[in-house]
Amino acid sequence: MKERAQEVKAEARARAGREEGERTIKAAIAAMPAPDRAMAKRLHEIVSENAPALMPKTWYGMPAYADQDGKVVCFFQAASKFKARYATFGFNDAAQLDDGAIWATAFAVKELSAAAEKKIAALVKQAAG
């Protein structure tokens, strides 16, 4: 019974963490200028659908998604953050994207076409393991 009580408490903490992460990430997205906001909102949907085990959070004020150990797996960086000409969707070393001796860890994103969404979804699934 003690073990089950601990499990229930852990599940409640995880739910509370996910709910807080969702609130935080949605607030960060809402604060972005229009082009970045739309892209970040859609990327949030893609990550949530394709890697539901990743925990939403903010990282340097930007939307990010962490594994069970709290390590950021992937993140979005709005173009407006650094006045860049494109947004960035990237992966940290916790992502399981290893492919030989060299592989991409960040992608410039100017728009989310159907093909881009499909590629990002596949990368997120792979990164989350």
Side-chain angles (χ1 to χ4, degrees):
M1 293 219 356
K2 286 181 183 179
E3 289 174 354
R4 181 62 186 140
Q6 289 174 342
E7 290 171 355
V8 169
K9 286 180 185 178
E11 290 169 4
R13 281 193 303 273
R15 258 191 317 279
R18 176 166 297 286
E19 290 168 3
E20 179 60 27
E22 283 286 337
R23 278 192 296 276
T24 303
I25 209 168
K26 286 180 179 177
I29 291 170
M32 292 177 188
D36 289 329
R37 183 175 50 245
M39 189 177 297
K41 184 177 178 184
R42 181 63 187 129
L43 285 168
H44 177 64
E45 293 168 353
I46 291 168
V47 174
S48 298
E49 291 167 7
N50 290 282
L54 294 181
M55 182 74 68
K57 62 185 278 178
T58 55
W59 191 52
Y60 296 101
M62 293 283 108
Y65 305 86
D67 63 15
Q68 293 176 349
D69 296 329
K71 295 178 182 174
V72 172
V73 173
C74 57
F75 60 90
F76 173 74
Q77 181 179 295
S80 59
K81 179 152 177 103
F82 296 107
K83 297 177 178 52
R85 63 185 182 91
Y86 54 80
T88 303
F89 190 77
F91 298 89
N92 282 342
D93 60 338
Q96 298 178 24
L97 294 177
D98 300 32
D99 184 20
I102 186 170
W103 59 90
T105 60
F107 298 86
V109 184
K110 290 187 80 171
E111 68 178 65
L112 285 173
S113 64
E117 287 186 12
K118 186 176 178 179
K119 182 173 186 165
I120 290 170
L123 287 167
V124 167
K125 281 180 185 178
Q126 181 181 351

